[in-house]
Amino acid sequence: MAGGGEAAKSEPAPHPPKDQLPNISYCITSPPPWPEAILLGFQHFLVMLGTSVIIPTALVPQMGGRNKEKAEVIQTLLFVAGINTLQQTLFGTRLPAVIGGSYTFVPTTISIILAGRFSDNSDPVDRFKKTMRAIQGSLIVASTLQIVLGFSGLWRNVARFLSPLSAVPLVALVGFGLYELGFPGVAKCVEIGLPELVILVFVSQYLPHVIHLEKRLFDKFAVIFSVVIVWIYAHLLTVGGAYNDAAPKTQASCRTDRAGLIDAAPWIRVPYPFQWGAPSFDAGEAFAMMMASFVALVESTGAFMAVARYASATHLPPTVLSRGVGWQGVGILISGLFGTVNGSSVSVENAGLLALTRVGSRRVVQISAGFMIFFSILGKFGAVFASIPAPIVAALYCLFFAYVGSVGLSFLQFCNLNSFRTKFILGFSVFMGLSIPQYFNEYTALNGYGPVHTGGRWFNDIVNVPLSSEPFVAGCLAYFLDNTLQRKDGGVRKDRGKHWWDKFRSFEGDSRSEEFYSLPFNLNKYFPSV
């Protein structure tokens, strides 16, 4: 009997599930000291710059814009990102989420650029302005979808049926689904991208265990350390003539003087609404952009959940998520009014940066919004940072998207992994979430158009865009299966982890919700959360 008792004692215990992520240095409501907060905010600005530069660099030349227009669009995108980030952290979810440009809107935007009605214009700048106004019109209309779903509380009702099980494929593929932007981008200039990736991993993961300091320095500021080292190295290669005889594609990826932004950017310029003229509206394009907006809404739901986890906050109450979606819709409206060539959603790479630094402070992200606005107005200074070669940005993506994907997997701690129902929903939704978009993207790359190819471009986009998004396909499939399969079975509720999130179904269900998500300036009195 004694032997049996000893055996029982030595049996390993599983790791207990945690509502809030432990070992975070500064959570959502605890700001670091000001000097540290400013440096961390600047780091968030550096990370979000990648998307803000890559999207206009790809789209503006197709629209007929020159380097001058490209620089102005990047400035506008940065300016609007600063405004949207501030309003999301103050009045939206109140999470430390950066709201920046989104790749989800790019296919629909390209569809508008390639529309026949702009191709007969001989003046490229005039064509750029007319195309931009068409994109603005469709974004303004598309913003109404998120505004209505968010502020009416309809998205709150959808979010209440989410369980940890259905959240896993959604959040995991918000990160892992962006694998195409990782190493393929690094490989465009492997002699710059690979050193950045190696130095980033070494400085953030190994160096803190080699050099023991009282304060966590290396992992917190690994992005600044690694980017500065590799940027100087890339500049020395450029100046030394390493790429003088290289192919134009290699020069564009590797050289630090190829962006054309520093010369083209004005010293001081304040972006303003309707700067390209009055928006033009097309019903088909507006509907297509609405679908892109809906896909971005589903992806942002997953990204908000990742941010909440890395900020060491409790699970998002559905009413807070719905409020955040409404303000994100306002963000898309502002993008349409200013003309950023792109809609806005939660920046996935900045969510990953929260994990790397272990600083989930709201103030840090608000400071980063200040940097966005400051450098968007002082164009020349902003252009210096915007000329960081794209492979360096892709190396950062490799780490940050991985962090966001892994936080999606961490929701499995609330589920019963010995249940065959759990295994089916999890495996099938993740597999199809990778497989269906792979088919759509491969088909589009080979043929120049998607599998759905009718005479109506807008209808093609409405079908092709959502089915090309990994988190959208996986999230919707997991949500449907989880809410329809053996729902009446009493044990299933525990298997899917729903009982862990019961207390967060309403705002008052858990006392911590007030601490993390209540509105500032006593606004909860006038806009109560339910």
Side-chain angles (χ1 to χ4, degrees):
M1 276 176 77
E6 276 170 35
K9 273 181 197 169
S10 63
E11 201 166 293
H15 296 289
K18 303 273 188 188
D19 276 338
Q20 291 174 258
L21 189 65
N23 305 319
I24 297 288
S25 300
Y26 297 97
C27 80
I28 188 168
T29 50
S30 56
W34 276 103
E36 198 177 316
I38 289 167
L39 262 180
L40 287 163
F42 180 71
Q43 202 166 236
H44 271 282
F45 164 71
L46 269 185
V47 167
M48 68 79 59
L49 252 183
T51 307
S52 305
V53 173
I54 290 167
I55 293 173
T57 301
L59 297 179
V60 171
Q62 292 185 56
M63 296 160 68
R66 305 157 302 177
N67 280 346
K68 177 179 178 287
E69 283 75 32
K70 184 168 76 173
E72 287 175 357
V73 170
I74 290 170
Q75 277 181 275
T76 307
L77 188 52
L78 272 178
F79 185 78
V80 169
I83 293 170
N84 289 343
T85 301
L86 278 178
Q87 67 180 21
Q88 187 62 244
T89 53
L90 283 170
F91 309 116
T93 55
R94 306 221 68 213
L95 287 168
V98 170
I99 308 294
S102 168
Y103 291 103
T104 308
F105 292 90
V106 170
T108 314
T109 307
I110 290 173
S111 185
I112 295 171
I113 293 168
L114 299 177
R117 66 181 191 280
F118 304 117
S119 54
D120 56 352
N121 204 318
S122 55
D123 178 9
V125 177
D126 191 46
R127 182 161 69 87
F128 163 78
K129 287 186 175 174
K130 283 187 172 168
T131 312
M132 176 64 91
R133 298 206 292 263
I135 295 166
Q136 283 181 260
S138 58
L139 280 172
I140 289 167
V141 176
S143 69
T144 56
L145 179 84
Q146 291 198 22
I147 291 170
V148 170
L149 284 176
F151 290 135
S152 68
L154 284 169
W155 198 247
R156 176 187 67 209
N157 297 335
V158 172
R160 279 193 173 143
F161 289 98
L162 259 176
S163 71
L165 177 58
S166 53
V168 171
L170 172 63
V171 183
L173 290 199
V174 162
F176 295 144
L178 295 167
Y179 60 87
E180 291 167 8
L181 302 172
F183 197 79
V186 171
K188 282 179 182 168
C189 187
V190 79
E191 62 268 31
I192 290 173
L194 201 57
E196 169 63 33
L197 185 56
V198 170
I199 292 170
L200 180 66
V201 171
F202 178 74
V203 171
S204 64
Q205 306 302 320
Y206 289 92
L207 208 54
H209 303 290
V210 176
I211 302 171
H212 297 282
L213 299 173
E214 270 185 49
K215 284 195 166 185
R216 289 176 49 247
L217 179 72
F218 297 114
D219 45 352
K220 257 186 203 165
F221 301 108
V223 171
I224 291 177
F225 287 135
S226 61
V227 168
V228 167
I229 292 166
V230 179
W231 197 8
I232 292 169
Y233 157 68
H235 189 65
L236 291 174
L237 285 179
T238 303
V239 173
Y243 304 115
N244 287 354
D245 302 318
K249 249 185 173 179
T250 307
Q251 292 202 27
S253 296
C254 300
R255 291 184 73 105
T256 54
D257 59 358
R258 268 292 178 272
L261 294 174
I262 298 171
D263 294 335
W267 280 102
I268 294 179
R269 180 178 179 274
V270 181
Y272 54 92
F274 309 120
Q275 56 192 332
W276 320 108
S280 62
F281 296 91
D282 178 278
E285 288 167 0
F287 279 119
M289 197 64 88
M290 265 189 170
M291 180 47 89
S293 172
F294 184 65
V295 174
L297 155 60
V298 172
E299 292 175 358
S300 289
T301 298
F304 276 133
M305 292 167 81
V307 171
R309 192 82 187 145
Y310 280 137
S312 194
T314 51
H315 176 62
L316 266 170
T319 180
V320 174
L321 176 62
S322 199
R323 189 175 74 199
V325 163
W327 279 103
Q328 190 171 270
V330 173
I332 296 171
L333 175 63
I334 295 170
S335 300
L337 296 174
F338 277 79
T340 60
V341 88
N342 191 246
S344 52
S345 68
V346 180
S347 167
V348 179
E349 54 270 32
N350 287 85
L353 181 58
L354 297 175
L356 182 75
T357 59
R358 297 193 201 172
V359 175
S361 165
R362 189 185 293 138
R363 182 183 291 171
V364 166
V365 169
Q366 288 169 340
I367 290 168
S368 82
F371 276 118
M372 292 171 214
I373 294 168
F374 177 76
F375 283 115
S376 69
I377 293 170
L378 297 177
K380 288 274 189 224
F381 296 103
V384 170
F385 297 112
S387 60
I388 295 172
I392 293 179
V393 176
L396 299 178
Y397 286 171
C398 288
L399 194 59
F400 298 146
F401 293 160
Y403 263 130
V404 173
S406 67
V407 84
L409 299 180
S410 76
F411 289 123
L412 288 171
Q413 66 185 302
F414 305 116
C415 307
N416 177 11
L417 286 174
N418 292 317
S419 154
F420 276 95
R421 179 186 181 275
T422 303
K423 290 182 195 300
F424 165 69
I425 292 172
L426 188 64
F428 186 64
S429 56
V430 170
F431 182 83
M432 295 308 282
L434 291 169
S435 192
I436 293 172
Q438 174 65 18
Y439 165 70
F440 273 75
N441 293 330
E442 208 172 84
Y443 190 101
T444 306
L446 283 171
N447 300 289
Y449 50 82
V452 178
H453 185 58
T454 65
R457 282 180 310 104
W458 61 275
F459 178 76
N460 301 340
D461 289 342
I462 283 174
V463 181
N464 290 329
V465 169
L467 292 173
S468 303
S469 164
E470 287 89 351
F472 183 84
V473 173
C476 290
L477 196 54
Y479 184 87
F480 172 77
L481 292 171
D482 191 36
N483 284 297
T484 55
L485 201 59
Q486 299 169 288
R487 241 195 114 205
K488 299 233 163 71
D489 188 335
V492 162
R493 185 174 170 75
K494 256 189 149 177
D495 288 350
R496 57 202 282 244
K498 199 82 174 82
H499 59 298
W500 281 99
W501 284 1
D502 276 348
K503 55 179 171 283
F504 306 116
R505 266 178 72 86
S506 69
F507 189 76
E508 281 80 28
D510 190 279
S511 57
R512 293 168 292 179
S513 298
E514 181 76 30
E515 180 194 346
F516 297 134
Y517 302 116
S518 61
L519 290 168
F521 319 122
N522 207 19
L523 286 172
N524 262 42
K525 203 160 93 180
Y526 307 103
F527 303 100
S529 300
V530 291

